[in-house]
Amino acid sequence: MTEPALAPRNAYLGVYVVWGIAVVASIVLGIVLDEDARVPWMLVAFGIVVLLSFAVQLWFGRVEGFIVRVSASVIGALLIMGLISVGFGLAALVPVA
């Protein structure tokens, strides 16, 4: 039998890391790509973020709340990437002088 850790790590640290990667990936893709290629690459980036979410939570090694942490990181990343892509979509409507 193993003894519990005296000071366990924050269980939601992996969720915050995935959210940060989602922010960085969507901003970089939005800046680098043109408007026609942005949506397909955002979908690819979201798929990578979903796989990364599973990998981070499995690496963390805590069984309690695994589904909650994975779903929080995936839904949060979906909302973050969606809001950033809406921002880039609205910016594309503004004519460039």
Side-chain angles (χ1 to χ4, degrees):
M1 182 181 296
T2 61
E3 295 182 21
L6 296 177
R9 297 178 286 188
N10 185 3
Y12 288 95
L13 180 65
V15 174
Y16 305 139
V17 168
V18 170
W19 288 354
I21 291 172
V23 167
V24 171
S26 4
I27 290 175
V28 167
L29 288 175
I31 291 172
V32 170
L33 298 173
D34 61 344
E35 292 142 2
D36 296 336
R38 195 174 290 154
V39 173
W41 281 104
M42 284 284 205
L43 291 173
V44 170
F46 180 68
I48 291 170
V49 166
V50 168
L51 294 175
L52 180 70
S53 170
F54 278 105
V56 165
Q57 294 304 323
L58 286 173
W59 173 76
F60 205 81
R62 291 191 61 182
V63 176
E64 300 86 16
F66 175 79
I67 300 297
V68 173
R69 290 191 310 269
V70 168
S71 62
S73 62
V74 169
I75 291 172
L78 177 67
L79 290 175
I80 288 169
M81 293 179 83
L83 287 174
I84 291 173
S85 66
V86 164
F88 279 114
L90 291 175
L93 294 176
V94 177
V96 178

